[in-house]
Amino acid sequence: GTVTPITLGRNGLGLGSGLHEIDPADMPVKQEGDGKSPAGAFRLSSAFGYAAVEQLDNLEIPYTHVTELLECVDDVKSGYYNQVVLRDGVDEVDWESSEQMLMDGIWYEKGIVVDHNSDPVIPGAGSCIFLHNWSGPEDTTAGCTAMAPPALTEMVYWLDSDADPVLVQLTESLYEEFHTVWGLPGPISIDKRGLHQGPPVLRSLPGGPPSGADRTRQHRSRPGTKRRGDGPRGRSDLQGLRREPAHAGLRLRSRSGW
Protein backbone atom coordinates (compact mmCIF):
# COMPACT_ATOMS: atom_id res chain seq x y z
CA GLY A 1 0.00 0.00 0.00
CA THR A 2 0.96 3.63 -0.27
CA VAL A 3 2.13 5.95 2.51
CA THR A 4 0.88 9.53 2.27
CA PRO A 5 2.37 12.44 4.28
CA ILE A 6 -0.20 14.36 6.33
CA THR A 7 -0.45 17.13 8.88
CA LEU A 8 -2.67 16.98 11.96
CA GLY A 9 -4.03 19.53 14.41
CA ARG A 10 -1.52 22.12 15.53
CA ASN A 11 -1.55 20.60 19.05
CA GLY A 12 -1.38 16.94 18.02
CA LEU A 13 -3.99 14.31 18.94
CA GLY A 14 -6.73 14.09 21.57
CA LEU A 15 -9.01 11.13 22.24
CA GLY A 16 -11.99 11.32 19.92
CA SER A 17 -15.52 9.95 20.09
CA GLY A 18 -15.79 7.20 17.49
CA LEU A 19 -16.27 3.46 17.20
CA HIS A 20 -14.17 2.48 20.24
CA GLU A 21 -13.38 3.84 23.67
CA ILE A 22 -9.82 4.46 24.85
CA ASP A 23 -8.85 5.05 28.48
CA PRO A 24 -8.45 8.83 28.97
CA ALA A 25 -5.35 8.05 31.02
CA ASP A 26 -3.61 7.29 27.71
CA MET A 27 -4.21 10.74 26.19
CA PRO A 28 -6.21 13.92 26.90
CA VAL A 29 -9.77 13.89 25.54
CA LYS A 30 -10.45 16.12 22.53
CA GLN A 31 -12.53 19.22 23.17
CA GLU A 32 -13.89 22.03 21.05
CA GLY A 33 -11.20 24.55 20.16
CA ASP A 34 -8.22 22.56 21.50
CA GLY A 35 -6.41 22.44 18.14
CA LYS A 36 -6.16 18.63 18.27
CA SER A 37 -7.13 15.99 15.73
CA PRO A 38 -9.23 13.13 17.14
CA ALA A 39 -7.51 9.84 17.93
CA GLY A 40 -9.47 6.62 17.46
CA ALA A 41 -11.48 4.86 14.76
CA PHE A 42 -14.12 6.80 12.84
CA ARG A 43 -16.49 6.12 9.96
CA LEU A 44 -15.96 8.14 6.78
CA SER A 45 -19.56 8.90 5.90
CA SER A 46 -19.50 11.30 2.95
CA ALA A 47 -17.44 13.59 0.74
CA PHE A 48 -17.86 17.21 -0.32
CA GLY A 49 -16.31 19.66 -2.74
CA TYR A 50 -16.57 22.78 -4.86
CA ALA A 51 -17.58 20.87 -8.00
CA ALA A 52 -21.21 19.95 -8.62
CA VAL A 53 -21.90 16.23 -8.34
CA GLU A 54 -22.76 16.16 -12.06
CA GLN A 55 -19.13 17.03 -12.80
CA LEU A 56 -17.82 13.97 -10.97
CA ASP A 57 -17.94 10.44 -12.30
CA ASN A 58 -17.79 7.08 -10.55
CA LEU A 59 -18.14 8.28 -6.98
CA GLU A 60 -19.07 5.49 -4.54
CA ILE A 61 -19.72 7.69 -1.49
CA PRO A 62 -22.43 10.31 -0.78
CA TYR A 63 -21.31 13.76 -1.92
CA THR A 64 -22.33 17.32 -1.00
CA HIS A 65 -21.75 20.29 -3.30
CA VAL A 66 -20.14 23.14 -1.34
CA THR A 67 -21.85 26.50 -1.87
CA GLU A 68 -21.68 29.83 -0.06
CA LEU A 69 -24.65 28.76 2.07
CA LEU A 70 -23.07 25.52 3.33
CA GLU A 71 -21.82 25.80 6.90
CA CYS A 72 -20.51 23.49 9.60
CA VAL A 73 -21.85 24.61 12.98
CA ASP A 74 -19.30 24.80 15.80
CA ASP A 75 -21.44 26.75 18.29
CA VAL A 76 -21.82 24.38 21.27
CA LYS A 77 -25.17 25.96 22.18
CA SER A 78 -26.74 25.26 18.78
CA GLY A 79 -29.11 22.40 18.07
CA TYR A 80 -27.12 21.93 14.85
CA TYR A 81 -23.73 21.59 16.58
CA ASN A 82 -21.29 19.46 14.58
CA GLN A 83 -23.59 19.31 11.57
CA VAL A 84 -23.00 20.48 8.00
CA VAL A 85 -26.14 22.36 6.98
CA LEU A 86 -27.44 24.79 4.40
CA ARG A 87 -28.07 28.11 6.08
CA ASP A 88 -31.32 28.59 4.17
CA GLY A 89 -32.40 24.98 4.76
CA VAL A 90 -32.98 25.05 8.53
CA ASP A 91 -36.04 26.21 10.45
CA GLU A 92 -34.01 28.58 12.61
CA VAL A 93 -30.42 29.79 12.48
CA ASP A 94 -29.66 29.30 16.18
CA TRP A 95 -25.86 29.57 16.02
CA GLU A 96 -23.45 32.45 16.42
CA SER A 97 -20.37 30.59 15.15
CA SER A 98 -19.91 28.38 12.12
CA GLU A 99 -17.33 27.35 9.59
CA GLN A 100 -17.99 28.63 6.10
CA MET A 101 -17.32 25.66 3.83
CA LEU A 102 -16.73 27.73 0.68
CA MET A 103 -13.25 29.10 1.39
CA ASP A 104 -10.91 31.34 -0.58
CA GLY A 105 -8.42 28.57 -1.30
CA ILE A 106 -8.03 24.90 -2.07
CA TRP A 107 -8.57 23.51 1.41
CA TYR A 108 -12.16 22.34 0.88
CA GLU A 109 -11.96 21.92 -2.90
CA LYS A 110 -12.53 18.27 -1.97
CA GLY A 111 -12.95 16.76 1.48
CA ILE A 112 -14.20 13.78 3.45
CA VAL A 113 -16.37 13.90 6.58
CA VAL A 114 -14.89 12.12 9.62
CA ASP A 115 -17.65 10.93 11.96
CA HIS A 116 -16.10 12.15 15.19
CA ASN A 117 -18.64 13.01 17.93
CA SER A 118 -21.55 12.11 15.67
CA ASP A 119 -23.58 9.43 17.49
CA PRO A 120 -24.44 10.87 19.91
CA VAL A 121 -23.32 14.46 19.39
CA ILE A 122 -21.93 15.79 22.66
CA PRO A 123 -21.73 19.60 22.91
CA GLY A 124 -18.14 20.72 23.34
CA ALA A 125 -16.55 17.40 22.34
CA GLY A 126 -15.29 18.73 19.00
CA SER A 127 -16.85 19.51 15.65
CA CYS A 128 -16.30 19.82 11.92
CA ILE A 129 -13.57 17.20 11.52
CA PHE A 130 -12.57 16.44 7.92
CA LEU A 131 -9.88 15.02 5.70
CA HIS A 132 -9.02 17.87 3.34
CA ASN A 133 -6.36 19.44 1.12
CA TRP A 134 -3.33 21.27 2.33
CA SER A 135 -1.69 24.17 0.50
CA GLY A 136 1.68 22.71 1.51
CA PRO A 137 3.35 20.62 4.21
CA GLU A 138 3.88 23.75 6.31
CA ASP A 139 0.13 23.91 7.01
CA THR A 140 -1.32 22.92 10.34
CA THR A 141 -5.02 22.53 11.09
CA ALA A 142 -7.45 23.27 13.89
CA GLY A 143 -8.23 19.55 14.23
CA CYS A 144 -8.62 18.11 10.75
CA THR A 145 -6.19 15.88 8.84
CA ALA A 146 -4.69 17.52 5.74
CA MET A 147 -2.73 16.16 2.79
CA ALA A 148 -1.66 16.99 -0.76
CA PRO A 149 -4.62 17.58 -3.12
CA PRO A 150 -3.80 14.68 -5.51
CA ALA A 151 -3.75 12.25 -2.58
CA LEU A 152 -7.07 13.55 -1.26
CA THR A 153 -8.71 13.34 -4.69
CA GLU A 154 -7.50 9.76 -5.12
CA MET A 155 -8.95 8.91 -1.71
CA VAL A 156 -12.36 10.41 -2.51
CA TYR A 157 -12.65 8.18 -5.58
CA TRP A 158 -11.27 5.13 -3.74
CA LEU A 159 -13.82 5.17 -0.92
CA ASP A 160 -16.91 2.97 -1.23
CA SER A 161 -19.71 3.57 1.27
CA ASP A 162 -20.97 -0.01 0.78
CA ALA A 163 -17.70 -1.22 2.29
CA ASP A 164 -18.21 1.01 5.35
CA PRO A 165 -14.82 2.81 5.24
CA VAL A 166 -13.13 3.72 8.51
CA LEU A 167 -10.29 6.05 9.45
CA VAL A 168 -8.00 4.74 12.20
CA GLN A 169 -5.89 7.58 13.59
CA LEU A 170 -3.54 6.75 16.47
CA THR A 171 -0.05 7.29 17.79
CA GLU A 172 2.34 4.43 17.07
CA SER A 173 2.19 3.21 20.66
CA LEU A 174 -1.62 3.22 20.78
CA TYR A 175 -1.76 1.42 17.42
CA GLU A 176 0.50 -1.29 18.79
CA GLU A 177 -1.73 -1.55 21.86
CA PHE A 178 -5.08 -1.78 20.08
CA HIS A 179 -4.45 -3.29 16.63
CA THR A 180 -5.16 -6.85 17.78
CA VAL A 181 -8.33 -6.20 19.75
CA TRP A 182 -9.66 -3.88 17.03
CA GLY A 183 -8.89 -6.42 14.30
CA LEU A 184 -6.41 -4.18 12.49
CA PRO A 185 -3.30 -5.19 10.53
CA GLY A 186 -0.16 -5.71 12.60
CA PRO A 187 2.24 -2.90 13.48
CA ILE A 188 2.97 -0.85 10.39
CA SER A 189 6.35 -1.40 8.77
CA ILE A 190 7.34 1.02 6.02
CA ASP A 191 10.10 -0.08 3.66
CA LYS A 192 12.83 2.03 2.04
CA ARG A 193 10.58 2.75 -0.93
CA GLY A 194 7.97 4.31 1.37
CA LEU A 195 5.55 1.38 0.90
CA HIS A 196 4.01 -1.12 3.27
CA GLN A 197 1.81 -4.20 3.21
CA GLY A 198 -1.88 -3.47 3.80
CA PRO A 199 -4.42 -0.64 3.39
CA PRO A 200 -3.32 2.93 2.59
CA VAL A 201 -1.52 4.65 5.45
CA LEU A 202 -1.36 8.38 6.21
CA ARG A 203 1.73 9.29 8.24
CA SER A 204 2.29 12.57 10.06
CA LEU A 205 5.36 14.51 9.03
CA PRO A 206 8.48 13.97 11.19
CA GLY A 207 8.70 15.92 14.43
CA GLY A 208 4.98 16.15 15.14
CA PRO A 209 2.71 18.95 13.93
CA PRO A 210 4.65 21.53 11.89
CA SER A 211 4.72 25.14 12.92
CA GLY A 212 3.20 26.73 9.85
CA ALA A 213 0.06 28.81 9.66
CA ASP A 214 -3.24 27.19 10.56
CA ARG A 215 -5.14 27.36 7.29
CA THR A 216 -8.49 25.92 8.37
CA ARG A 217 -11.46 27.11 10.38
CA GLN A 218 -11.89 30.27 8.33
CA HIS A 219 -14.98 32.14 9.46
CA ARG A 220 -16.50 34.87 7.33
CA SER A 221 -18.56 37.71 8.71
CA ARG A 222 -22.30 37.34 8.35
CA PRO A 223 -25.04 39.35 10.01
CA GLY A 224 -25.65 37.61 13.33
CA THR A 225 -22.51 35.48 13.04
CA LYS A 226 -19.29 36.01 14.93
CA ARG A 227 -16.04 34.15 14.84
CA ARG A 228 -15.49 32.23 18.06
CA GLY A 229 -12.09 31.13 16.90
CA ASP A 230 -10.04 28.04 17.52
CA GLY A 231 -7.03 29.47 19.31
CA PRO A 232 -4.10 31.47 18.01
CA ARG A 233 -2.90 30.76 14.50
CA GLY A 234 0.73 30.28 13.59
CA ARG A 235 3.38 28.50 15.60
CA SER A 236 2.19 25.50 17.59
CA ASP A 237 2.60 25.35 21.34
CA LEU A 238 4.01 21.86 21.77
CA GLN A 239 5.27 22.18 25.33
CA GLY A 240 4.57 18.92 27.16
CA LEU A 241 3.15 17.26 24.03
CA ARG A 242 4.37 13.81 23.03
CA ARG A 243 6.01 14.32 19.64
CA GLU A 244 5.39 10.71 18.72
CA PRO A 245 4.67 9.94 15.06
CA ALA A 246 1.00 9.33 14.34
CA HIS A 247 -0.49 6.91 11.85
CA ALA A 248 -3.87 7.28 10.18
CA GLY A 249 -4.90 4.14 8.33
CA LEU A 250 -7.78 3.79 5.92
CA ARG A 251 -9.61 0.48 6.06
CA LEU A 252 -12.60 -0.92 4.23
CA ARG A 253 -14.63 -3.38 6.26
CA SER A 254 -17.94 -5.19 6.13
CA ARG A 255 -20.86 -3.64 8.00
CA SER A 256 -20.85 -6.60 10.36
CA GLY A 257 -17.18 -6.04 11.24
CA TRP A 258 -15.58 -4.14 14.07
Side-chain angles (χ1 to χ4, degrees):
T2 58
V3 178
T4 299
I6 60 168
T7 57
L8 298 170
R10 61 179 176 270
N11 290 325
L13 294 175
L15 292 183
S17 176
L19 297 174
H20 300 287
E21 292 186 2
I22 300 176
D23 188 343
D26 292 330
M27 179 184 291
V29 175
K30 176 168 176 55
Q31 299 178 357
E32 184 70 34
D34 62 4
K36 296 180 179 180
S37 297
F42 311 94
R43 289 189 174 90
L44 300 175
S45 57
S46 62
F48 57 84
Y50 297 165
V53 67
E54 295 80 14
Q55 298 174 265
L56 305 173
D57 295 325
N58 302 317
L59 284 181
E60 301 294 340
I61 190 169
Y63 177 86
T64 299
H65 179 205
V66 174
T67 69
E68 63 180 6
L69 294 176
L70 194 69
E71 305 181 18
C72 187
V73 180
D74 56 15
D75 185 341
V76 298
K77 297 180 180 179
S78 171
Y80 296 97
Y81 176 68
N82 198 27
Q83 295 183 44
V84 178
V85 298
L86 285 168
R87 189 177 181 86
D88 64 350
V90 299
D91 293 333
E92 178 186 4
V93 176
D94 66 349
W95 59 86
E96 295 185 345
S97 177
S98 66
E99 184 172 347
Q100 312 305 312
M101 300 293 287
L102 188 62
M103 293 184 173
D104 294 327
I106 67 168
W107 297 283
Y108 286 174
E109 184 178 11
K110 286 190 178 71
I112 299 167
V113 177
V114 177
D115 283 359
H116 159 72
N117 189 31
S118 64
D119 186 20
V121 175
I122 301 173
S127 63
C128 308
I129 302 299
F130 310 119
L131 307 180
H132 64 71
N133 291 335
W134 69 21
S135 64
E138 73 282 356
D139 282 4
T140 58
T141 78
C144 295
T145 298
M147 67 197 73
L152 195 283
T153 295
E154 182 179 0
M155 193 176 302
V156 168
Y157 282 101
W158 179 76
L159 293 176
D160 183 349
S161 59
D162 287 341
D164 207 8
V166 169
L167 170 71
V168 179
Q169 188 161 257
L170 297 169
T171 62
E172 287 183 339
S173 60
L174 286 178
Y175 191 96
E176 290 177 2
E177 179 178 351
F178 290 109
H179 77 272
T180 300
V181 67
W182 289 6
L184 300 172
I188 296 168
S189 177
I190 299 172
D191 64 25
K192 295 180 179 179
R193 299 170 297 166
L195 302 175
H196 79 105
Q197 297 296 317
V201 166
L202 315 177
R203 183 176 174 86
S204 63
L205 293 171
S211 57
D214 180 352
R215 300 292 186 177
T216 62
R217 292 296 172 94
Q218 293 186 4
H219 292 65
R220 295 181 189 162
S221 298
R222 287 185 185 274
T225 300
K226 64 180 181 181
R227 178 186 167 196
R228 183 160 53 84
D230 210 312
R233 304 186 186 278
R235 188 167 182 83
S236 303
D237 179 8
L238 298 177
Q239 183 176 2
L241 180 69
R242 286 188 297 174
R243 296 175 66 87
E244 180 182 355
H247 289 311
L250 294 170
R251 179 179 174 89
L252 299 178
R253 64 183 175 88
S254 67
R255 294 189 180 276
S256 61
W258 53 276

